[in-house]
Amino acid sequence: MDLRHKKLEKLKDYLKSLKSIAVAFSSGVDSTFLLKTAHEVLGNNVIAVTAESASFPKREKKEAEEFCIKENIRHFLIKSEELLIEGFKQNPPNRCYLCKSNLFKEIKNLAKKENIDEVVEGSNTDDNNDYRPGLQAIAELAIKSPLRYAGLSKDDIRILSKEIGLPTWNKPSFACLASRFVYGEEITEEKLNMVDKAEQLLLDLGFNQVRCRIHEKMARIELNPEEFNKILDSTIRDEIYSEYKKIGFTYVTLDLKGYRTGSMNEPLLAKQKE
């Protein structure tokens, strides 16, 4: 047995030990793999919980619902009004902590009502390499992180997902829309909707991994570098510019470094190194 499948067995053994779990389910690569594996191991002792909010695109909610119906997994939707959390909309560097703390308290309450023993979430070992204040909230609330416990990386999860036929194995990475804002810039429902529409347009045009970072009324598009030539096609470029202006952006730019996770954390990490 190779190392990756040893990690998978470690994951399954760990899930068995938890007896019954509520999975925080976003329909992303990691949480889908975790939910599928947990359901295989624990059957009806698993529930999925998805948070609805202005920072969670409707397409992701739809995919979450469809997956749970297909897999016959009990699925709960909870309202998560992040903009009402004290301090959240001011977008401080610990924004993710404020959100996760509030969210997982709600999921724990739901799990208790459903007689579920534990709450789990889908962070993997790659998340240890970036600024992730949400992990502090997870630790404080004793939320379990089975994928990290088993030592599974994002690449491991994609490969194992492909082996078991999950359609998410090559799904682009996704993060909450609030992560598109510069720290300190106020997060509003209007701007969240602008980002959502802007990224949906890029996906509809066939781009794979996309981000629309928002700097007041300027859009900074991040794409995989191999897709740069496509966006420079005059027809596509003109359509993006025209639609972004309709959405409400004043300026539309392309980040020449391309897509990378946590680009809004780069100034913070640079200060830590000083």
Side-chain angles (χ1 to χ4, degrees), residues 142-160:
I143 306 301
K144 303 295 191 293
S145 303
L147 302 177
R148 281 196 292 144
Y149 174 85
L152 288 161
S153 68
K154 177 71 81 173
D155 284 344
D156 290 330
I157 293 162
R158 287 191 184 280
I159 291 169
L160 292 170

Side-chain angles (χ1 to χ4, degrees), residues 1-66:
M1 184 184 297
D2 63 22
L3 179 58
R4 183 175 294 114
H5 288 87
K6 286 181 180 177
K7 293 178 185 178
L8 177 59
E9 290 306 308
K10 183 176 181 180
L11 172 65
K12 290 181 178 180
D13 288 342
Y14 181 62
L15 291 169
K16 286 178 187 176
S17 74
L18 299 180
K19 298 182 180 179
S20 63
I21 60 175
V23 179
F25 183 48
S26 67
S27 80
V29 178
D30 302 324
S31 65
T32 300
F33 175 74
L34 176 58
L35 180 59
K36 173 73 174 179
T37 306
H39 190 238
E40 176 189 329
V41 170
L42 295 172
N44 292 332
N45 289 322
V46 173
I47 64 172
V49 185
T50 300
E52 294 183 88
S53 73
S55 65
F56 188 62
K58 292 180 176 60
R59 66 176 182 274
E60 300 293 325
K61 174 192 168 186
K62 182 182 177 183
E63 288 181 16
E65 291 176 318
E66 290 175 347

Side-chain angles (χ1 to χ4, degrees), residues 182-201:
V182 180
Y183 290 118
E185 179 173 341
E186 184 179 8
I187 300 171
T188 66
E189 188 167 354
E190 177 191 4
K191 287 185 177 182
L192 288 169
N193 287 332
M194 287 171 65
V195 171
D196 190 14
K197 290 176 182 177
E199 292 190 349
Q200 188 62 56
L201 174 65

Side-chain angles (χ1 to χ4, degrees), residues 7-8 43 60 85 101 105 133 139 178-179 181 188 196 206 214 244:
K7 293 178 185 178
L8 177 59
E60 300 293 325
I85 299 171
S101 182
K105 285 175 183 176
S179 68
F181 288 69
T188 66
D196 190 14
I214 185 169
Y244 273 41

